[in-house]
Amino acid sequence: MTNGDASDNGVEDIIIARDVHKWFGSFHALRGVSTTVKRAEKVVILGPSGSGKSTFIRTINRLEEHQRGEIIVDGITLSNDVRNIDAIRREVGMVFQQFNLFPHLTVKDNITLAPMKVRHIPRAEAEDTAMGLLERVGIPEQAEKYPAELSGGQQQRVAIARALAMQPRIMLFDEPTSALDPEMIKDVLDVMTELAQSGMTMLIVTHEVGFAREVADRVIMFDEGMIAEEAPPNEFFINPKSDRAKLFLSQILH
Amino acid sequence: MADQPRGILTYQGIPVWRHAVLIQWALQIISAIAVVTLVVWFFSNVAFAINDRDIPFGWNFFGRSYGTPVPEHALPFNDSTDSYAYALLVAAVNTIILAVAGVILAIIVGTLIGIARLSPNWLLSRLSLVYVEFFRNVPLLVQLLFIFYFILVLPPITETYNLFDVLYINNAGIAMPQPTLSSGIAPGLGWVAAAGAGVFLGYTVYKLRNRREIVTGAVSYPLLTGIGTAVGIAAVAWVAIWAMAGDTPLGLSIPAPDDRFGRIEDGLRVRSGAIVMLVGLVMYTAAFIAEIVRAGIQSVSRGQTEAALAVGLKPVGVLRNVTFPQALRVIIPPLISQCLNLTKNSSLAPAVGFADLTNVGITMTQTAPAINIFLVIMLAYLAMSLAWSAVGNFYNWRTRIVGT
């Protein structure tokens, strides 16, 4: 594991979650989740559907509000202080299962929108950055097209570029390949692998076991709103400790 | 296929009653005959009735002088010399002014209420809900009459409310100051042209500065410099024309009560009928537009908002850059239909005494053939509605999304 460069905030533990609880009405979705993510660490989150894994990473950038416990991102405590929320969202990029590209904007405008509106970066510079990112994800020729003209795999790579344009320190991936046709999954995973090698801190909710084995520093398994098991991938996949993890692995590894 | 039917009732080897193309054609022809028969029957009936009962019919009334006052007229109107045709035009302009002003205000009010309806602020969203449900569910005519009687409760002209000797409010209407060309057409229009050029230049400066700020990142105060340019040019032109012409470019007509005749002279006087129509149509239509705006915003998937928040946009930025542009596609078609409704609903004006197309038409039927008059009026409303549709189609075409 590399430690990356010294950050502005000088925090080694870039994400700290302590006893995080979340209710949807009466449904207790997160039941005391505690974990720490180190700078440049790659964490893959597994678990059956409804286990709270997506909810957990969505609390990290306040797409879901946690009701109890504490979340600290790069030294900033996530609270109701709007300034803290804005600061954390600038640090944290997110990629969604359904891509969520803006359909009324071209690929390039999708990527430049936030840097120009939020960081007030001049258009020419933002467009240069956007083109650089499109090169990086391998689809510079699609810059002037609209999202609906692209394949799912291309759209997801644009979504990654869009998140990277804000120069985040942390990237959250919420089942990034679950909505893709099988032949497109590899393109997206390749981009994510490259990103992992560049030293980005990544939290990835995924069912791609091969990817988890290759890229993850640590695997966290969620079950019923709690962390059921937390271990390096080799240990987790070959020799899981909890019965819950054994059962889950027997279901997804055929 | 050996047992293919052969004979006079087959086409391309298929019995005609089973031939898809021929069936289509037969249905087309039958329906065309039905339509033509109905139309002929209807119009011949009308023609017989008109003849039978000596109902006046014909178009030569158009050129005759109308000889009846039109209470509101944005265009100049002389009731002793101007013709029926011109009176209809004056009335149509009244309707158009009411409709355009009403649509603009209804869109503004309706959009604000529609957004408020989705506000996380409980009180705001409840108030919007009450507004929408109230104004949508009470008949428009009843609302108009209520406002009409409400205005009647105001004091009469002789005891008018007087705000600072410039604004008069009473049960006959409102009188307010109005700029005039009292010092001559040339200096007046000259200044208006100069001010217009100033606004245009100011806007250009705003765009350029804005672009500079976006491209170079240098703080350039685009709004401040733009407004400054426009105001500066207008002010310089005002002083220059004043110096050259010896009088201010535009005069100001201030209303004043005329005690002898118990009425208010000068200024811009808006009669209560026009106020009732404008307020009533705007409040009623805004309720429908609010629902359209709400539905449009809600039609944009939650994922769009989340993605926009996740890249760091603030809620207002999300609405402006992501949600609203997409909602517009859903909003525009039903919004245009509300513009049509407002325009057509303006024909309730006779109930409150505003001289719109329908009201003037009703008055005309006492001295001219009613069927002819209302044929013309129907065509006029049809033209206005088609104009709104054209606006909507143009907007739809501009905001279309490629690839969906």
Side-chain angles (χ1 to χ4, degrees), chain B residues 297-315:
Chain B
I297 292 175
Q298 282 180 332
S299 77
V300 180
S301 79
R302 175 82 196 137
Q304 290 289 311
T305 308
E306 289 183 349
L309 288 173
V311 288
L313 288 171
K314 300 190 174 104

PDB file of all heavy atoms in Angstrom, chain B residues 297-315:
ATOM      1  N   ILE B 297     -40.440  19.167 -12.890  1.00  0.00           N
ATOM      2  CA  ILE B 297     -39.233  19.021 -12.074  1.00  0.00           C
ATOM      3  C   ILE B 297     -39.170  17.608 -11.505  1.00  0.00           C
ATOM      4  O   ILE B 297     -38.116  16.980 -11.475  1.00  0.00           O
ATOM      5  CB  ILE B 297     -39.207  20.084 -10.957  1.00  0.00           C
ATOM      6  CG1 ILE B 297     -39.016  21.460 -11.576  1.00  0.00           C
ATOM      7  CG2 ILE B 297     -38.090  19.798  -9.962  1.00  0.00           C
ATOM      8  CD1 ILE B 297     -39.084  22.593 -10.595  1.00  0.00           C
ATOM      9  N   GLN B 298     -40.326  17.083 -11.083  1.00  0.00           N
ATOM     10  CA  GLN B 298     -40.325  15.733 -10.508  1.00  0.00           C
ATOM     11  C   GLN B 298     -40.052  14.667 -11.562  1.00  0.00           C
ATOM     12  O   GLN B 298     -39.662  13.553 -11.213  1.00  0.00           O
ATOM     13  CB  GLN B 298     -41.656  15.467  -9.803  1.00  0.00           C
ATOM     14  CG  GLN B 298     -41.705  16.150  -8.444  1.00  0.00           C
ATOM     15  CD  GLN B 298     -43.002  15.899  -7.714  1.00  0.00           C
ATOM     16  OE1 GLN B 298     -44.033  15.684  -8.340  1.00  0.00           O
ATOM     17  NE2 GLN B 298     -42.955  15.922  -6.402  1.00  0.00           N
ATOM     18  N   SER B 299     -40.266  15.008 -12.837  1.00  0.00           N
ATOM     19  CA  SER B 299     -40.030  14.011 -13.880  1.00  0.00           C
ATOM     20  C   SER B 299     -38.540  13.755 -14.087  1.00  0.00           C
ATOM     21  O   SER B 299     -38.155  12.757 -14.674  1.00  0.00           O
ATOM     22  CB  SER B 299     -40.649  14.470 -15.202  1.00  0.00           C
ATOM     23  OG  SER B 299     -39.830  15.455 -15.796  1.00  0.00           O
ATOM     24  N   VAL B 300     -37.703  14.690 -13.619  1.00  0.00           N
ATOM     25  CA  VAL B 300     -36.264  14.476 -13.746  1.00  0.00           C
ATOM     26  C   VAL B 300     -35.837  13.520 -12.638  1.00  0.00           C
ATOM     27  O   VAL B 300     -36.165  13.722 -11.475  1.00  0.00           O
ATOM     28  CB  VAL B 300     -35.504  15.812 -13.627  1.00  0.00           C
ATOM     29  CG1 VAL B 300     -34.018  15.591 -13.768  1.00  0.00           C
ATOM     30  CG2 VAL B 300     -35.997  16.776 -14.679  1.00  0.00           C
ATOM     31  N   SER B 301     -35.111  12.472 -13.018  1.00  0.00           N
ATOM     32  CA  SER B 301     -34.874  11.403 -12.049  1.00  0.00           C
ATOM     33  C   SER B 301     -34.029  11.895 -10.885  1.00  0.00           C
ATOM     34  O   SER B 301     -33.215  12.803 -11.008  1.00  0.00           O
ATOM     35  CB  SER B 301     -34.187  10.220 -12.723  1.00  0.00           C
ATOM     36  OG  SER B 301     -32.815  10.477 -12.864  1.00  0.00           O
ATOM     37  N   ARG B 302     -34.255  11.289  -9.740  1.00  0.00           N
ATOM     38  CA  ARG B 302     -33.535  11.609  -8.515  1.00  0.00           C
ATOM     39  C   ARG B 302     -32.018  11.483  -8.735  1.00  0.00           C
ATOM     40  O   ARG B 302     -31.231  12.231  -8.162  1.00  0.00           O
ATOM     41  CB  ARG B 302     -34.029  10.642  -7.427  1.00  0.00           C
ATOM     42  CG  ARG B 302     -33.349  10.707  -6.108  1.00  0.00           C
ATOM     43  CD  ARG B 302     -33.865  11.806  -5.214  1.00  0.00           C
ATOM     44  NE  ARG B 302     -32.919  12.044  -4.135  1.00  0.00           N
ATOM     45  CZ  ARG B 302     -32.540  13.232  -3.702  1.00  0.00           C
ATOM     46  NH1 ARG B 302     -33.047  14.308  -4.220  1.00  0.00           N
ATOM     47  NH2 ARG B 302     -31.664  13.350  -2.729  1.00  0.00           N
ATOM     48  N   GLY B 303     -31.624  10.539  -9.591  1.00  0.00           N
ATOM     49  CA  GLY B 303     -30.205  10.321  -9.864  1.00  0.00           C
ATOM     50  C   GLY B 303     -29.521  11.555 -10.441  1.00  0.00           C
ATOM     51  O   GLY B 303     -28.345  11.791 -10.189  1.00  0.00           O
ATOM     52  N   GLN B 304     -30.270  12.348 -11.222  1.00  0.00           N
ATOM     53  CA  GLN B 304     -29.695  13.565 -11.790  1.00  0.00           C
ATOM     54  C   GLN B 304     -29.313  14.537 -10.678  1.00  0.00           C
ATOM     55  O   GLN B 304     -28.236  15.120 -10.688  1.00  0.00           O
ATOM     56  CB  GLN B 304     -30.709  14.220 -12.739  1.00  0.00           C
ATOM     57  CG  GLN B 304     -30.931  13.441 -14.007  1.00  0.00           C
ATOM     58  CD  GLN B 304     -29.726  13.518 -14.908  1.00  0.00           C
ATOM     59  OE1 GLN B 304     -29.197  14.590 -15.165  1.00  0.00           O
ATOM     60  NE2 GLN B 304     -29.270  12.379 -15.387  1.00  0.00           N
ATOM     61  N   THR B 305     -30.228  14.727  -9.723  1.00  0.00           N
ATOM     62  CA  THR B 305     -29.944  15.610  -8.598  1.00  0.00           C
ATOM     63  C   THR B 305     -28.755  15.087  -7.804  1.00  0.00           C
ATOM     64  O   THR B 305     -27.863  15.846  -7.427  1.00  0.00           O
ATOM     65  CB  THR B 305     -31.176  15.701  -7.681  1.00  0.00           C
ATOM     66  OG1 THR B 305     -32.300  16.032  -8.496  1.00  0.00           O
ATOM     67  CG2 THR B 305     -30.998  16.751  -6.624  1.00  0.00           C
ATOM     68  N   GLU B 306     -28.743  13.766  -7.556  1.00  0.00           N
ATOM     69  CA  GLU B 306     -27.655  13.188  -6.764  1.00  0.00           C
ATOM     70  C   GLU B 306     -26.315  13.372  -7.470  1.00  0.00           C
ATOM     71  O   GLU B 306     -25.319  13.742  -6.838  1.00  0.00           O
ATOM     72  CB  GLU B 306     -27.923  11.706  -6.517  1.00  0.00           C
ATOM     73  CG  GLU B 306     -29.059  11.483  -5.543  1.00  0.00           C
ATOM     74  CD  GLU B 306     -29.281  10.022  -5.240  1.00  0.00           C
ATOM     75  OE1 GLU B 306     -28.694   9.173  -5.938  1.00  0.00           O
ATOM     76  OE2 GLU B 306     -30.044   9.739  -4.304  1.00  0.00           O
ATOM     77  N   ALA B 307     -26.301  13.112  -8.787  1.00  0.00           N
ATOM     78  CA  ALA B 307     -25.045  13.261  -9.519  1.00  0.00           C
ATOM     79  C   ALA B 307     -24.573  14.705  -9.461  1.00  0.00           C
ATOM     80  O   ALA B 307     -23.385  14.983  -9.298  1.00  0.00           O
ATOM     81  CB  ALA B 307     -25.222  12.815 -10.964  1.00  0.00           C
ATOM     82  N   ALA B 308     -25.519  15.652  -9.582  1.00  0.00           N
ATOM     83  CA  ALA B 308     -25.144  17.063  -9.566  1.00  0.00           C
ATOM     84  C   ALA B 308     -24.641  17.476  -8.180  1.00  0.00           C
ATOM     85  O   ALA B 308     -23.677  18.235  -8.066  1.00  0.00           O
ATOM     86  CB  ALA B 308     -26.335  17.920  -9.983  1.00  0.00           C
ATOM     87  N   LEU B 309     -25.291  16.964  -7.127  1.00  0.00           N
ATOM     88  CA  LEU B 309     -24.811  17.263  -5.778  1.00  0.00           C
ATOM     89  C   LEU B 309     -23.432  16.642  -5.564  1.00  0.00           C
ATOM     90  O   LEU B 309     -22.549  17.249  -4.964  1.00  0.00           O
ATOM     91  CB  LEU B 309     -25.784  16.718  -4.724  1.00  0.00           C
ATOM     92  CG  LEU B 309     -27.118  17.436  -4.577  1.00  0.00           C
ATOM     93  CD1 LEU B 309     -28.022  16.675  -3.617  1.00  0.00           C
ATOM     94  CD2 LEU B 309     -26.919  18.864  -4.079  1.00  0.00           C
ATOM     95  N   ALA B 310     -23.254  15.416  -6.088  1.00  0.00           N
ATOM     96  CA  ALA B 310     -22.001  14.704  -5.845  1.00  0.00           C
ATOM     97  C   ALA B 310     -20.815  15.401  -6.507  1.00  0.00           C
ATOM     98  O   ALA B 310     -19.697  15.306  -6.007  1.00  0.00           O
ATOM     99  CB  ALA B 310     -22.106  13.263  -6.348  1.00  0.00           C
ATOM    100  N   VAL B 311     -21.024  16.107  -7.632  1.00  0.00           N
ATOM    101  CA  VAL B 311     -19.899  16.828  -8.222  1.00  0.00           C
ATOM    102  C   VAL B 311     -19.730  18.195  -7.566  1.00  0.00           C
ATOM    103  O   VAL B 311     -18.875  18.972  -7.981  1.00  0.00           O
ATOM    104  CB  VAL B 311     -20.001  17.011  -9.756  1.00  0.00           C
ATOM    105  CG1 VAL B 311     -19.760  15.691 -10.456  1.00  0.00           C
ATOM    106  CG2 VAL B 311     -21.303  17.640 -10.163  1.00  0.00           C
ATOM    107  N   GLY B 312     -20.547  18.503  -6.558  1.00  0.00           N
ATOM    108  CA  GLY B 312     -20.296  19.698  -5.767  1.00  0.00           C
ATOM    109  C   GLY B 312     -21.207  20.876  -6.037  1.00  0.00           C
ATOM    110  O   GLY B 312     -21.037  21.926  -5.434  1.00  0.00           O
ATOM    111  N   LEU B 313     -22.191  20.736  -6.955  1.00  0.00           N
ATOM    112  CA  LEU B 313     -23.099  21.859  -7.193  1.00  0.00           C
ATOM    113  C   LEU B 313     -23.977  22.064  -5.954  1.00  0.00           C
ATOM    114  O   LEU B 313     -24.343  21.117  -5.275  1.00  0.00           O
ATOM    115  CB  LEU B 313     -23.981  21.581  -8.409  1.00  0.00           C
ATOM    116  CG  LEU B 313     -23.294  21.643  -9.770  1.00  0.00           C
ATOM    117  CD1 LEU B 313     -24.230  21.139 -10.846  1.00  0.00           C
ATOM    118  CD2 LEU B 313     -22.862  23.055 -10.096  1.00  0.00           C
ATOM    119  N   LYS B 314     -24.318  23.331  -5.698  1.00  0.00           N
ATOM    120  CA  LYS B 314     -25.215  23.631  -4.584  1.00  0.00           C
ATOM    121  C   LYS B 314     -26.658  23.540  -5.088  1.00  0.00           C
ATOM    122  O   LYS B 314     -26.891  23.587  -6.289  1.00  0.00           O
ATOM    123  CB  LYS B 314     -24.897  25.020  -4.045  1.00  0.00           C
ATOM    124  CG  LYS B 314     -23.461  25.074  -3.549  1.00  0.00           C
ATOM    125  CD  LYS B 314     -23.165  26.341  -2.784  1.00  0.00           C
ATOM    126  CE  LYS B 314     -21.778  26.254  -2.207  1.00  0.00           C
ATOM    127  NZ  LYS B 314     -20.794  27.040  -2.911  1.00  0.00           N
ATOM    128  N   PRO B 315     -27.632  23.410  -4.158  1.00  0.00           N
ATOM    129  CA  PRO B 315     -29.014  23.179  -4.587  1.00  0.00           C
ATOM    130  C   PRO B 315     -29.513  24.135  -5.674  1.00  0.00           C
ATOM    131  O   PRO B 315     -30.164  23.691  -6.633  1.00  0.00           O
ATOM    132  CB  PRO B 315     -29.802  23.343  -3.284  1.00  0.00           C
ATOM    133  CG  PRO B 315     -28.853  22.881  -2.229  1.00  0.00           C
ATOM    134  CD  PRO B 315     -27.486  23.317  -2.693  1.00  0.00           C
TER     135      PRO B 315
END
